[in-house]
Amino acid sequence: MTSQFEGPLVENNALQPPSRSKDVRSMSSTNLPKGLSYNSAAPPGSFNSDLRSTISRADTPAGLGGYTYYTDGAADESLTSEQRQAEFRSRIDKETKIKIGSENLLEALNTKNAKQTKDQRFRVESELKSSNRKIAQLKSDLEAEVQRAKDQPSSPGSRLSYLFHNAPLRSPSRPVAYKEEEEVEEQEAESPSFVLSELFQALEAENMPHDFYVERANALVELFKRHPTLKYDLAWSIFGLRIQAMLLSDSREVVAAGYRLLRYAVTDRKSLQTIRALHTDYLVIVSLVKESKASIEREQALKFVRSFLDVKDGVKEISRPVVRTIVAMAEHTEDRLRSICILTLAEILIRNPPLLVSAGGLGALTDALGDGSYQASESLSSAFLYLLDIPSRRKLLRSGYELGVPFAAFTSSSLIPANEEKLKEDAKVIAILLKNWTGLMTLSLNNFLAIRSIVSALCIPTPEMRNILLELFFDVLRIKPPSWSSSFLAGRRLTTYGRVTNLKTKVITKSPSADVEDENSRMSLLDHFTAVVLAVLLHAGLLRALLHAEEDAPDLSLKRKTTLLLGEVLKLSNQLLPSNWSASLQVLPELFHSASRFGQDTRFVATGTIYQVDSVNRTLYRSGPNAAAQGNKHQMLSETAAGMRQSEAAKAQAISQVDEGQFRTLMYETQVLNTVNYTKWKWDLIQSILDGPMLNAKRQEEAIKVTKFVHRLLSFLRPFKYRFSEVKNTKPNQRYVRAACSLMRALLQTSEGTKYLAEEKLLRQLAECLAQLDRMSGITSSSPLFSPERLSDSLVGGYFTILGVMCSSSQGLQMLGRWKIINMFYHIIELPGRDDLVRIMLSNLDFSLDNHPRIILSKAMTACSKRIRIFATRQLRKYATSEISPTSGADSSAGTAKWAIRLLVTQLYDPEIEVCEVAVKILEEACNNKRSLEYVVKCRPALDHLGEIGAPLLLRFLSTSTGYHYLDGLDYITREMDDWFLGRNDSYVAVVEASLARALADIPERPQQMQDEAPEPMEYGTVPPHFYRELTRTAEGCKLLERKGHFDEFVVTIADLGMEDEDPEIILKVKGCLWAVGNVGSMALGASFLEKSDVVKWIVQIAEESEVMTMRGTAFFVLGLISRSLHGQEILAEYKWDGTINAVGECLGFCFPLDFQKLFTIKPWTGSFSDTRPTLSKVQTITSVADSDDTNARILELIKDLANTVLTKRAAADLNAIKAKNPRGFQKPALFHKVMAILESQHYRLGACRFVIDLFDKKVMRQIVLEEEEDDSSDESDSETNPE
């Protein structure tokens, strides 16, 4: 469902005047152009009626083959920058899929007969070439758009516009655009106050066509946009009358324009009070209850209500009758505005919970959460979780079981397969609740009743439900299925032990070093949270339910899936949970007991289950290291290094065993010696020869001198042979580049090969082709080899990969210098407009040797464009993060690392902040190595000019004595310490909570189309760097902390205010102190601070007894930080908390109370709330309304009966009969006030509200709004309404 208004629209974000037709229905049914919105600039209260994106290929303007390229400033200005970028990325994704499909098809065709597939391969290559060109053009346009967005500051509403108005708009033609610019210039020349007065006078005109008023209202909106301060000086005595006249119009478009104008006139809460004094509450209710054909009026009325939420304390000006009307719309499943009504109610629930509760909105939100029809379930769940956190807000939920609605679908006995989609949506909601600490605490009420119900649902033998439940548990436990899981689930046996075992040697390639800081030294809050979720599920009987589901599986696929989950659960419990938990789980006592019952048939099922679980466990163990079990990482690195040495030795032995006859046979089998047609060569066999026997000097000499094997391979690579250089740039064809690189490495390893390569024509021809790019060389070509088109379409970029291999050896560099190729590299760096060539060159050159390539990279980092400087800086990462050993030469890896670090320190002074940020990220990663950190400090970088960007790197300096003294000399430590003590501790709470929430949300990263400009991915779910933790890494820092007395202040705050459950500022303060104490206690030198105080006792008390759920979660994670040291675990053991250690006794930072239920014990509460709501003007909300007139009293009684679904039909018939007999009774404003009071005090469906309001004559509303009520009616109203 896309957001398309039924009402008309004009350009420039304005309402379109209605067509001059006497038929009102023709005006209301005027359709909009597809994808357009008259509010694309996202003013206050802006939204789209459907929360999903409306971008589609069908909306793309025709005429350019489905693509519209924005290459200059003439792009569609009605679109926001985010919209244009999203459109570009959507097109790039589509073309990338086409490219991948073409490459896969081409790879399949290469395995078939070349003659039979010649035509088909040609068509596929043409399509691939077209996709490459389109992707290149789209990426170029996207880069230009990103740069333009950075140069032009976006409006405050642009982000909201992108979220809710994502439909592409049609750009105006050139003459229209020029005309609009001239009009804008003329309007800017006039005085805004004069234009405002003119428009006010125009709106005073009566009996004018409807489009006259719409155009003037649109002009006023544009005036407010250009001059935002103008609305602060509005004369509401005049402006209000004009607005009232528009809102009372018979034209829906005029009424909608009035709401829109009001929305743009809102400034603050006082202006909202002025607007409400115009009786807009009644008008909004009347508009909202209209039928769907009045969609434009209803939508603008709802936008007007939402604009209250954009004003500080504006929610307090929303009346309860308006909220009740929105609730009725949210309960109407067929209403087009239902989704945005639910979102509005969720926002009101967060900002003013008593108002929503008193209006009966909780029921609508609970139903939306449970029925699975609302798409943005995350926002709805967050609103409920916000209420449940603090006791004062928690009491607004009367039952306490509001979050249990999604669980009902899994426990209902009347479930049928047709409910599968609903089950998936409910499972999504349950996953959100289980990934939130407040949600987990709430679901643990009543002895984990809700969680036990979802676990026990595994026993229901419904395939659809069981599959959804298994996927749910995979999700909440963050289990990533291994690579072999698809084959296992498909029914294949696990016979890949040998291949799986070798995965470890591919994952970790660094040599062990005690100076490398463990990657897990930054505690993973995500793993700690996963551990507690696993403990809760196991406590609720997950293991028993999985065993039952495995034995009673409906089909083989679900049986295997259950077995896989069972194996993963056992693996996680062994890694994350204390030994007293995992020891009893691993033996599977119930299963072994069943398997040992000899003489019963059930033992065979149990025995098979044990075998399958054991098989899965062994395969999981061999699949490689995982995140939480890495206690003895150095031992694992040593084993990996030993395995790699054995592999290399075996490879060398295999090479030496190939004799002359076998080698010649292998060369003949490649077909290289039989034909010059490279498409007939067996490239897999060629690759194996180049990586194996060709590394033997004797075999290589034979291949060079005796056969033409090497000659033909090098001849294939020559540019002027037009064979390798004409091959299409596809994924399958990259094998030619890999073979060429292997050939170069093999030749450079022997003196005979080096001599042969130096005399070959390949380098000479490459030098000539590179000279075509140098204007000073005198060599030109109409179609140069390294043109942008050929770089993208063919494999000529592979020549730089070959040259990069040659840069890795001194002999290769000498050959490059002989043919002046190094000189060409210097000239390429200076080429204007050839960033593509520079990127390819820099990404393939080898900088491990202290030679010309390093100078070339240094030049690119300082003299090229910003994009190239960022790209060049990123190339230093793999060199800067290599290990620095104490005894190493200048040409070793240590010398390379020091060179890279020096260049990165230089980049910290780049004029572009993006370049500095990339350098800081790489230096921070390099500082994981202690010697690298000391060398960075030795370079004495100045980071003051970078502000917050350089702060993480400065914090890393504190971890060594050298860095401490360096920062102390800059007076950084005392200033930063005072800053953290006075405020940064509080802001740290928001950072760490946002990081954990982001990690648990599983939001997929946006695909990075431009690797050089994409920011480094953030590491979510870990404890962010904390000043006090880094300070306590050194003895000097501990002395300073003790002298300042900050730790004692934190302890006092926790002890005195730790049990606070009302004041948000105090709660935030305590959380900040908890994180500071936890970070200090996580360090080995911080143990003395814990010993001197009883702070652990207070933290344990908070974790077990605090009534603030998020406070409990903070204390729980802080105790995990403290348990990272053996001394901390000893202190925790005194308070009956147990920590997790690995097989070698190292602490992992996960801890749990011995009495597990203490962590989830919350006092039950009873619902109670104070009704502090604004009410309708001139009408007080009353529980009973009476009238002295018998007919009016009967009308009021019948309207009350409309709230009863049993009496609705009869009451409506009686009301119609009364109106037919006495229509004048429904023309009295006094009766209308009483009816509205009844509608406010009771819950009515949307149709009933519409029916009641339609009973009254339209002039009643005019009398109320314009205050034209007769005195006798007012007196009658006063006498007939009972105060109690």
Side-chain angles (χ1 to χ4, degrees):
M1 181 177 66
T2 57
S3 175
Q4 298 180 12
F5 304 114
E6 297 180 15
L9 188 87
V10 291
E11 303 167 358
N12 296 334
N13 191 28
L15 287 169
Q16 182 177 353
S19 58
R20 298 191 180 185
S21 172
K22 294 182 180 180
D23 189 357
V24 180
R25 290 174 295 178
S26 66
M27 290 189 292
S28 64
S29 62
T30 305
N31 293 325
L32 297 179
K34 185 173 183 178
L36 289 180
S37 168
Y38 56 80
N39 197 12
S40 61
S46 175
F47 66 87
N48 185 307
S49 59
D50 191 339
L51 301 183
R52 290 173 290 183
S53 174
T54 56
I55 290 181
S56 64
R57 300 295 292 181
D59 297 329
T60 307
L64 290 175
Y67 292 89
T68 303
Y69 301 128
Y70 299 102
T71 56
D72 53 21
D76 189 351
E77 296 300 334
S78 60
L79 286 172
T80 63
S81 178
E82 291 89 348
Q83 286 176 296
R84 288 191 289 267
Q85 293 178 35
E87 180 69 12
F88 282 133
R89 290 191 177 96
S90 174
R91 295 172 182 172
I92 290 174
D93 290 341
K94 181 176 181 180
E95 290 302 325
T96 302
K97 292 177 181 178
I98 295 176
K99 176 184 175 182
I100 294 173
S102 301
E103 289 177 345
N104 294 336
L105 180 57
L106 197 58
E107 186 174 4
L109 293 176
N110 286 337
T111 61
K112 299 181 180 180
N113 189 295
K115 293 183 179 180
Q116 296 177 355
T117 60
K118 181 178 180 181
D119 296 337
Q120 189 175 3
R121 186 163 55 248
F122 177 76
R123 290 195 299 270
V124 175
E125 289 176 351
S126 300
E127 181 65 28
L128 184 60
K129 184 176 180 180
S130 174
S131 296
N132 286 330
R133 287 181 177 176
K134 290 178 180 179
I135 290 174
Q137 180 64 45
L138 286 168
K139 286 184 177 180
S140 175
D141 296 338
L142 179 58
E143 292 176 3
E145 180 58 40
V146 170
Q147 188 62 36
R148 184 162 61 235
K150 292 180 179 179
D151 297 339
Q152 299 177 357
S154 59
S155 62
S158 62
R159 196 61 178 162
L160 193 61
S161 173
Y162 168 65
L163 290 175
F164 294 115
H165 290 278
N166 217 7
L169 304 182
R170 190 184 303 276
S171 59
S173 61
R174 288 278 182 177
V176 174
Y178 291 149
K179 182 177 179 181
E180 291 177 353
E181 292 176 2
E182 293 175 359
E183 291 178 355
V184 169
E185 291 178 358
E186 292 177 0
Q187 293 173 355
E188 292 291 344
E190 298 179 1
S191 170
S193 301
F194 177 74
V195 176
L196 181 65
S197 61
E198 276 193 340
L199 292 173
F200 277 176
Q201 290 179 3
L203 288 176
E204 291 180 4
E206 298 181 359
N207 301 324
M208 298 296 290
H210 294 157
D211 58 352
F212 176 85
Y213 299 107
V214 174
E215 290 174 358
R216 280 12 179 222
N218 288 339
L220 273 174
V221 169
E222 294 299 325
L223 186 65
F224 289 152
K225 286 182 181 180
R226 293 195 305 270
H227 306 282
T229 58
L230 200 61
K231 55 188 176 183
Y232 289 92
D233 301 325
L234 283 177
W236 280 97
S237 58
I238 302 174
F239 183 67
L241 292 175
R242 305 284 76 77
I243 291 295
Q244 286 178 327
M246 294 183 68
L247 296 181
L248 291 171
S249 173
D250 294 333
S251 170
R252 296 165 184 159
E253 289 77 12
V254 175
V255 176
Y259 285 126
R260 181 168 178 261
L261 182 55
L262 261 183
R263 182 156 46 91
Y264 277 93
V266 172
T267 56
D268 50 19
R269 185 179 179 183
K270 185 177 180 180
S271 66
L272 293 177
Q273 294 171 349
T274 305
I275 291 173
R276 290 192 63 217
L278 302 176
H279 304 281
T280 53
D281 288 347
Y282 279 161
L283 293 168
V284 166
I285 293 172
V286 171
S287 296
L288 291 178
V289 301
K290 288 186 177 180
E291 296 181 356
S292 58
K293 62 182 179 182
S295 62
I296 187 171
E297 178 181 342
R298 300 176 73 234
E299 190 159 352
Q300 286 298 320
L302 188 55
K303 284 186 177 183
F304 169 65
V305 176
R306 286 183 55 81
S307 66
F308 283 48
L309 302 174
D310 296 327
V311 178
K312 182 180 179 181
D313 296 330
V315 68
K316 297 179 181 179
E317 296 301 324
I318 302 179
S319 64
R320 189 172 72 162
V322 173
V323 178
R324 278 202 181 274
T325 306
I326 298 176
V327 170
M329 295 171 65
E331 293 175 341
H332 190 57
T333 55
E334 298 180 359
D335 198 309
R336 190 176 68 91
L337 301 178
R338 180 174 184 260
S339 294
I340 201 62
C341 287
I342 294 173
L343 180 62
T344 304
L345 294 177
E347 293 183 28
I348 296 175
L349 179 62
I350 293 177
R351 302 190 183 193
N352 192 355
L355 171 62
L356 185 85
V357 173
S358 65
L362 274 182
L365 294 182
T366 304
D367 293 341
L369 192 66
D371 60 17
S373 60
Y374 184 60
Q375 300 295 328
S377 54
E378 295 88 349
S379 59
L380 197 52
S381 304
S382 300
F384 279 103
L385 296 175
Y386 170 78
L387 252 65
L388 287 164
D389 186 23
I390 297 178
S392 59
R393 296 197 297 258
R394 195 182 306 153
K395 293 180 180 179
L396 296 174
L397 300 177
R398 298 178 178 177
S399 64
Y401 291 95
E402 283 81 2
L403 295 184
V405 177
F407 293 83
F410 292 94
T411 57
S412 175
S413 59
S414 60
L415 187 70
I416 56 176
N419 291 2
E420 185 175 357
E421 291 300 323
K422 183 177 183 299
L423 285 175
K424 290 181 179 180
E425 291 298 327
D426 288 339
K428 181 181 177 182
V429 175
I430 294 172
I432 294 171
L433 299 178
L434 289 174
K435 291 179 182 180
N436 183 280
W437 183 267
T438 304
L440 189 62
M441 293 281 293
T442 305
L443 298 180
S444 301
L445 292 173
N446 303 305
N447 193 20
F448 304 91
L449 177 61
I451 298 178
R452 282 190 289 110
S453 68
I454 198 69
V455 169
S456 61
L458 279 172
C459 300
I460 301 177
T462 306
E464 295 82 3
M465 177 187 292
R466 184 166 295 182
N467 183 56
I468 293 172
L469 286 174
L470 292 175
E471 291 292 340
L472 171 64
F473 292 129
F474 272 108
D475 183 23
V476 297
L477 294 176
R478 305 189 59 79
I479 297 174
K480 304 295 183 184
S483 57
W484 45 266
S485 61
S486 58
S487 299
F488 174 69
L489 296 178
R492 297 186 181 94
R493 297 181 62 185
L494 292 174
T495 57
T496 59
Y497 291 154
R499 292 198 297 272
V500 172
T501 305
N502 295 329
L503 290 179
K504 288 184 179 180
T505 61
K506 299 179 182 179
V507 175
I508 302 175
T509 58
K510 293 185 179 180
S511 58
S513 172
D515 294 321
V516 179
E517 184 179 345
D518 190 1
E519 293 177 2
N520 293 301
S521 62
R522 292 176 62 182
M523 175 185 171
S524 174
L525 300 178
L526 195 58
D527 289 340
H528 200 184
F529 186 83
T530 303
V532 74
V533 173
L534 176 62
V536 168
L537 292 175
L538 291 174
H539 183 78
L542 176 63
L543 192 63
R544 189 182 303 106
L546 286 176
L547 291 174
H548 181 277
E550 209 276 345
E551 295 176 358
D552 189 28
D555 54 59
L556 183 59
S557 176
L558 284 177
K559 181 181 180 66
R560 285 176 168 262
K561 197 169 191 176
T562 307
T563 303
L564 181 60
L565 178 59
L566 185 59
E568 292 279 7
V569 167
L570 294 176
K571 176 184 172 185
L572 280 179
S573 63
N574 185 45
Q575 296 165 0
L576 303 178
L577 300 181
S579 57
N580 62 338
W581 279 78
S582 58
S584 59
L585 297 174
Q586 300 298 327
V587 297
L588 300 175
E590 296 182 0
L591 197 60
F592 273 93
H593 180 67
S594 178
S596 61
R597 291 180 178 177
F598 298 95
Q600 296 186 9
D601 294 338
T602 56
R603 66 176 294 269
F604 298 106
V605 178
T607 304
T609 302
I610 292 174
Y611 171 76
Q612 286 285 358
V613 172
D614 177 63
S615 178
V616 168
N617 271 334
R618 283 185 289 152
T619 310
L620 286 173
Y621 172 75
R622 294 174 178 178
S623 296
N626 53 65
Q630 334 339 334
N632 196 0
K633 187 171 183 180
H634 302 317
Q635 178 183 355
M636 190 163 51
L637 285 167
S638 301
E639 294 175 355
T640 301
M644 293 181 66
R645 287 193 295 269
Q646 292 176 2
S647 177
E648 293 293 335
K651 186 176 180 181
Q653 184 179 4
I655 291 172
S656 62
Q657 290 177 352
V658 177
D659 58 18
E660 181 180 349
Q662 293 174 335
F663 181 58
R664 185 167 297 181
T665 302
L666 289 175
M667 286 192 295
Y668 276 111
E669 289 178 355
T670 61
Q671 303 298 319
V672 175
L673 303 179
N674 299 333
T675 177
V676 295
N677 188 353
Y678 69 92
T679 59
K680 296 183 179 181
W681 296 351
K682 296 182 178 180
W683 286 96
D684 294 338
L685 186 56
I686 293 173
Q687 185 70 47
S688 63
I689 292 176
L690 295 175
D691 292 337
M694 277 292 288
L695 299 178
N696 187 312
K698 189 174 182 180
R699 300 284 84 81
Q700 187 180 123
E701 183 180 0
E702 180 184 349
I704 294 174
K705 293 184 176 181
V706 179
T707 68
K708 293 185 178 181
F709 184 76
V710 177
H711 171 74
R712 287 191 173 177
L713 288 177
L714 290 175
S715 178
F716 164 69
L717 296 175
R718 293 177 192 169
F720 295 153
K721 286 287 186 178
Y722 298 107
R723 297 161 75 188
F724 177 84
S725 58
E726 293 297 322
V727 175
K728 301 300 180 183
N729 185 14
T730 63
K731 185 178 179 181
N733 289 343
Q734 293 300 318
R735 58 183 176 173
Y736 304 135
V737 181
R738 291 192 293 270
C741 293
S742 298
L743 177 62
M744 293 299 152
R745 292 191 192 96
L747 293 176
L748 289 173
Q749 284 189 9
T750 64
S751 58
E752 188 66 31
T754 304
K755 180 180 177 181
Y756 184 81
L757 184 60
E759 297 173 355
E760 237 285 328
K761 296 180 182 179
L762 174 63
L763 294 179
R764 184 174 61 189
Q765 293 185 8
L766 278 177
E768 183 176 346
C769 294
L770 288 172
Q772 297 172 0
L773 303 172
D774 186 5
R775 291 173 295 182
M776 305 299 294
S777 66
I779 301 177
T780 59
S781 174
S782 59
S783 58
L785 182 71
F786 295 103
S787 64
E789 294 79 12
R790 300 187 74 171
L791 277 176
S792 62
D793 297 340
S794 65
L795 286 184
V796 295
Y799 285 121
F800 285 100
T801 310
I802 296 172
L803 295 175
V805 173
M806 300 193 68
C807 289
S808 62
S809 69
S810 57
Q811 295 86 353
L813 285 170
Q814 289 177 3
M815 283 185 274
L816 296 182
R818 174 189 173 189
W819 294 107
K820 308 298 181 183
I821 292 179
I822 294 293
N823 296 1
M824 305 300 174
F825 286 167
Y826 282 104
H827 297 158
I828 288 175
I829 290 293
E830 300 173 353
L831 285 179
R834 289 308 307 272
D835 287 357
D836 58 335
L837 197 62
V838 177
R839 290 182 190 178
I840 293 178
M841 185 183 71
L842 294 179
S843 61
N844 288 287
L845 289 182
D846 189 284
F847 306 103
S848 56
L849 298 181
D850 188 7
N851 212 301
H852 287 284
R854 292 189 179 183
I855 303 174
I856 293 171
L857 180 65
S858 177
K859 185 176 181 180
M861 293 171 63
T862 54
C864 291
S865 63
K866 184 185 74 171
R867 293 172 184 167
I868 294 299
R869 297 204 305 275
I870 293 176
F871 184 84
T873 305
R874 292 185 187 277
Q875 302 308 307
L876 291 172
R877 180 181 177 274
K878 65 178 180 180
Y879 301 100
T881 54
S882 59
E883 182 184 353
I884 297 180
S885 58
T887 57
S888 54
D891 292 335
S892 64
S893 60
T896 304
K898 292 181 178 179
W899 161 78
I901 289 173
R902 288 195 301 271
L903 275 186
L904 288 171
V905 171
T906 304
Q907 290 301 91
L908 296 177
Y909 310 107
D910 193 277
E912 295 291 342
I913 197 68
E914 291 91 343
V915 180
C916 302
E917 188 173 4
V918 173
V920 168
K921 293 283 186 182
I922 300 175
L923 284 174
E924 188 180 357
E925 185 177 355
C927 288
N928 289 335
N929 186 292
K930 185 177 180 180
R931 293 192 180 94
S932 297
L933 174 58
E934 292 176 350
Y935 188 77
V936 173
V937 175
K938 186 178 178 181
C939 294
R940 302 182 67 84
L943 300 172
D944 291 343
H945 64 289
L946 296 179
E948 291 295 326
I949 294 177
L953 186 57
L954 288 174
L955 285 180
R956 298 303 299 268
F957 289 179
L958 286 174
S959 60
T960 63
S961 297
T962 306
Y964 177 88
H965 291 297
Y966 168 64
L967 295 178
D968 191 30
L970 299 176
D971 196 28
Y972 166 81
I973 298 178
T974 54
R975 289 187 288 107
E976 191 74 3
M977 195 172 187
D978 294 338
D979 189 19
W980 275 80
F981 183 73
L982 296 176
R984 292 279 291 280
N985 261 337
D986 298 343
S987 59
Y988 181 85
V989 175
V991 172
V992 69
E993 290 183 354
S995 174
L996 180 59
R998 174 63 174 78
L1000 291 171
D1002 283 334
I1003 301 175
E1005 295 287 346
R1006 177 183 294 177
Q1008 298 178 357
Q1009 304 292 347
M1010 295 174 292
Q1011 295 294 333
D1012 56 324
E1013 288 194 358
E1016 294 287 345
M1018 294 185 63
E1019 190 177 2
Y1020 298 108
T1022 59
V1023 180
H1026 197 286
F1027 176 81
Y1028 290 101
R1029 181 177 62 193
E1030 303 300 326
L1031 190 64
T1032 49
R1033 288 182 185 270
T1034 60
E1036 296 90 342
C1038 291
K1039 292 179 182 178
L1040 177 63
L1041 180 59
E1042 187 175 3
R1043 187 170 65 251
K1044 284 278 190 177
H1046 289 183
F1047 189 86
D1048 297 332
E1049 292 289 339
F1050 297 148
V1051 173
V1052 171
T1053 302
I1054 293 172
D1056 295 344
L1057 305 175
M1059 303 305 291
E1060 174 65 35
D1061 59 4
E1062 291 295 336
D1063 193 335
E1065 293 185 2
I1066 295 179
I1067 293 174
L1068 181 63
K1069 181 78 172 176
V1070 174
K1071 286 181 180 179
C1073 295
L1074 285 171
W1075 283 115
V1077 170
N1079 278 283
V1080 171
S1082 65
M1083 295 290 101
L1085 297 177
S1088 60
F1089 292 95
L1090 299 179
E1091 285 181 346
K1092 296 176 183 178
S1093 63
D1094 293 333
V1095 66
V1096 177
K1097 179 182 75 172
W1098 302 112
I1099 299 176
V1100 169
Q1101 182 182 2
I1102 293 173
E1104 295 180 352
E1105 300 178 8
S1106 176
E1107 289 298 310
V1108 181
M1109 295 184 180
T1110 54
M1111 184 78 84
R1112 280 199 184 194
T1114 302
F1116 173 74
F1117 289 125
V1118 167
L1119 291 175
L1121 281 173
I1122 294 175
S1123 70
R1124 289 182 64 80
S1125 65
L1126 288 175
H1127 186 80
Q1129 289 209 3
E1130 291 175 359
I1131 298 176
L1132 287 173
E1134 297 177 3
Y1135 299 100
K1136 299 182 179 180
W1137 277 63
D1138 190 12
T1140 305
I1141 58 176
N1142 59 13
V1144 294
E1146 294 182 349
C1147 305
L1148 300 180
F1150 312 137
C1151 63
F1152 301 91
L1154 295 178
D1155 186 0
F1156 184 69
Q1157 292 193 2
K1158 280 188 177 180
L1159 191 60
F1160 296 96
T1161 302
I1162 290 286
K1163 296 179 181 178
W1165 68 88
T1166 56
S1168 63
F1169 63 93
S1170 57
D1171 191 1
T1172 57
R1173 61 192 182 280
T1175 58
L1176 286 170
S1177 56
K1178 299 177 60 177
V1179 180
Q1180 295 183 351
T1181 304
I1182 52 178
T1183 58
S1184 61
V1185 180
D1187 197 294
S1188 58
D1189 185 78
D1190 294 339
T1191 302
N1192 292 347
R1194 178 58 178 165
I1195 291 173
L1196 296 177
E1197 289 296 327
L1198 291 174
I1199 290 176
K1200 292 178 183 178
D1201 292 342
L1202 287 175
N1204 189 332
T1205 54
V1206 177
L1207 305 176
T1208 298
K1209 184 177 293 187
R1210 188 184 66 181
D1214 292 346
L1215 285 171
N1216 282 327
I1218 294 175
K1219 182 177 181 180
K1221 294 179 180 178
N1222 185 19
R1224 291 180 57 85
F1226 291 95
Q1227 298 177 0
K1228 298 178 181 180
L1231 182 61
F1232 185 83
H1233 285 304
K1234 297 177 181 180
V1235 169
M1236 293 304 293
I1238 295 175
L1239 293 179
E1240 175 188 4
S1241 60
Q1242 298 188 45
H1243 175 70
Y1244 289 86
R1245 296 186 178 274
L1246 184 63
C1249 295
R1250 182 187 305 123
F1251 172 77
V1252 171
I1253 292 178
D1254 288 345
L1255 288 173
F1256 287 87
D1257 194 275
K1258 292 184 178 180
K1259 67 179 181 180
V1260 173
M1261 184 58 64
R1262 176 177 295 274
Q1263 292 176 1
I1264 295 175
V1265 172
L1266 301 180
E1267 298 182 354
E1268 297 175 352
E1269 304 177 43
E1270 300 176 0
D1271 294 339
D1272 55 347
S1273 299
S1274 300
D1275 297 340
E1276 182 183 359
S1277 175
D1278 294 338
S1279 62
E1280 293 172 354
T1281 304
N1282 297 329
E1284 294 294 329

